[in-house]
Amino acid sequence: MPANSTPDATGSDLNAPGMNSQADDPQPVRSADDGTHTDRPDDDAPTAQVPATPPAAASASGAPDDTIARARSLLVPVADPQRQAAATPSVPAVLPGRPDADRPQVRAPGQTPDTDGGTPCPWCATPNRPDRHFCRLCAMPQSQAHQATGPRPWWRRVLDPRNRQTPWAGDRPRLRRGFGYLMTWALWAVLLTLLITAVVNADNAVSAVRDHFTKRGPVGPDSVKASRSYPRHGPELAFDKLNNTWWGPGVNQSGAGEWIEARFDQPTRLLDIIITPGVSTHADQLSQSALPRRVEAVITTADGKKESRFLTLDQAAGGQRRAFRAGEVTAVRLIVRSSYAASADKQVAIAEIEFFGPSNTSRNQ
């Protein structure tokens, strides 16, 4: 036994190899009296487990059991240091989410076995069977008329239904029930009425245009007569081509209802009429008689029909021309309806009446 070894109560050497000592194991030794302890110089040094004393040895040494238990209680086992795991981050509480349905995925159209070499769609170029009228992909019509090159005429651009926007598949066209829809129908109704009127009156329109540009020629009546006449002022003086002779009914005041008539043996087309009121063409002689103001012309045609027209004259000297387009005329009766400057000592007078029709030179051309 070495000199510095100290036996314990049981006769064992505490400084012997394999036994825990203050020099070999610098573990903190806790005092039972004051609770002070001494730190280990090396925390990483391994700690040896103190072997338990067999009960037989303890009984042989004669040491009481409480002393051994007290010695064991002074020894504090220290575990090897281990690396601590990273702390798991805490997740805050959230409300339960609403499950969303999966969005539909667009799938590419598969190739149909019977579309090989088919007609491509003019809208999306998808091949289709020759007997299909609408595309199997975009549902657009397969038939598309050939568009002519160059600008189209205005009437084709207005009436061509291709100018209207074609609705896509699945789109419902907008119902046209507004004011514009009614105006469109009204415009078409007016155009249709004008077209029908133009067709019905085409002959009259052609004749009116022809008569407007036709050269006029004088047409004299074959016979004349009047309701009554003033002495030496018969109805033939109104057609003698002289301005200083006149016809008068021989009654005072306006002479309303008195008439003078010209007749034609052959149906004649009349274009214009010139009436010279009064007893002369001189303005200083207008006050010598009443002047016709409103004259009714009753026209008799070759088929026996009669037509009335009203001519309004001016209170002026000289001949007054009025349009008088009538065809197949056999008789014209001029009835005085009102007069200018009518009085008890005056009678209405007409100096000259002239009819004009198409000139023979225009017919020969």
Side-chain angles (χ1 to χ4, degrees):
M1 177 178 300
N4 57 356
S5 62
T6 304
D8 59 357
T10 58
S12 303
D13 189 359
L14 297 178
N15 294 327
M19 300 298 292
N20 290 335
S21 64
Q22 186 174 2
D24 296 338
D25 189 4
Q27 292 216 27
V29 178
R30 184 176 298 174
S31 175
D33 298 334
D34 55 1
T36 60
H37 64 276
T38 303
D39 293 337
R40 291 166 43 186
D42 189 4
D43 293 338
D44 295 336
T47 303
Q49 183 71 25
V50 179
T53 305
S59 300
S61 61
D65 296 336
D66 55 354
T67 304
I68 298 174
R70 183 178 180 183
R72 289 181 178 178
S73 64
L74 296 178
L75 299 178
V76 178
V78 178
D80 295 337
Q82 297 179 358
R83 181 175 297 178
Q84 296 182 356
T88 303
S90 61
V91 178
V94 295
L95 296 175
R98 184 180 62 183
D100 294 336
D102 295 339
R103 299 184 63 181
Q105 301 294 330
V106 179
R107 296 180 298 174
Q111 184 70 19
T112 307
D114 54 353
T115 57
D116 293 338
T119 304
C121 175
W123 303 91
C124 64
T126 302
N128 294 272
R129 296 195 310 268
D131 58 342
R132 289 188 65 91
H133 298 283
F134 296 91
C135 178
R136 62 186 178 88
L137 178 62
C138 63
M140 295 300 291
Q142 295 297 293
S143 60
Q144 187 175 13
H146 176 69
Q147 297 182 358
T149 58
R152 295 179 297 169
W154 65 269
W155 59 269
R156 186 177 295 276
R157 292 195 301 269
V158 172
L159 301 178
D160 196 350
R162 292 180 299 174
N163 295 332
R164 303 176 183 176
Q165 185 178 5
T166 304
W168 292 92
D171 291 346
R172 178 175 296 179
R174 181 175 59 88
L175 298 178
R176 303 181 62 185
R177 301 294 184 186
F179 181 74
Y181 181 72
L182 298 179
M183 289 298 297
T184 302
W185 275 104
L187 179 61
W188 280 109
V190 171
L191 293 178
L192 182 60
T193 303
L194 294 178
L195 180 61
I196 294 175
T197 304
V199 171
V200 172
N201 299 326
D203 296 339
N204 297 335
V206 172
S207 300
V209 173
R210 182 183 59 193
D211 294 341
H212 179 76
F213 295 99
T214 300
K215 186 178 180 180
R216 267 65 171 167
V219 179
D222 297 313
S223 61
V224 295
K225 63 179 181 178
S227 57
R228 64 176 67 185
S229 299
Y230 189 69
R232 295 190 303 272
H233 295 279
E236 64 277 358
L237 298 179
F239 300 93
D240 60 355
K241 304 293 190 302
L242 299 176
N243 296 329
N244 55 357
T245 59
W246 49 275
W247 165 81
V251 295
N252 55 4
Q253 298 297 336
S254 64
E258 302 299 330
W259 53 268
I260 183 173
E261 184 178 74
R263 302 189 68 87
F264 304 92
D265 294 340
Q266 298 295 330
T268 306
R269 182 173 184 79
L270 302 179
L271 300 179
D272 294 328
I273 184 174
I274 296 179
I275 300 177
T276 304
V279 298
S280 175
T281 58
H282 299 285
D284 57 350
Q285 298 180 2
L286 290 179
S287 59
Q288 296 181 5
S289 65
L291 304 178
R293 176 180 181 181
R294 187 174 178 82
V295 179
E296 179 183 0
V298 180
I299 304 172
T300 304
T301 58
D303 54 1
K305 295 182 179 180
K306 294 185 178 183
E307 180 184 356
S308 296
R309 298 182 184 179
F310 289 90
L311 305 176
T312 303
L313 304 178
D314 299 327
Q315 191 176 4
Q320 302 180 23
R321 182 185 291 268
R322 298 291 184 269
F324 197 82
R325 293 184 177 89
E328 303 295 325
V329 178
T330 57
V332 177
R333 176 175 294 186
L334 301 177
I335 305 173
V336 179
R337 295 303 180 187
S338 62
S339 301
Y340 293 104
S343 63
D345 58 347
K346 295 179 182 179
Q347 65 173 333
V348 65
I350 298 177
E352 195 67 28
I353 299 175
E354 301 176 77
F355 293 104
F356 291 88
S359 176
N360 293 328
T361 57
S362 300
R363 295 179 182 178
N364 295 333
Q365 292 177 358

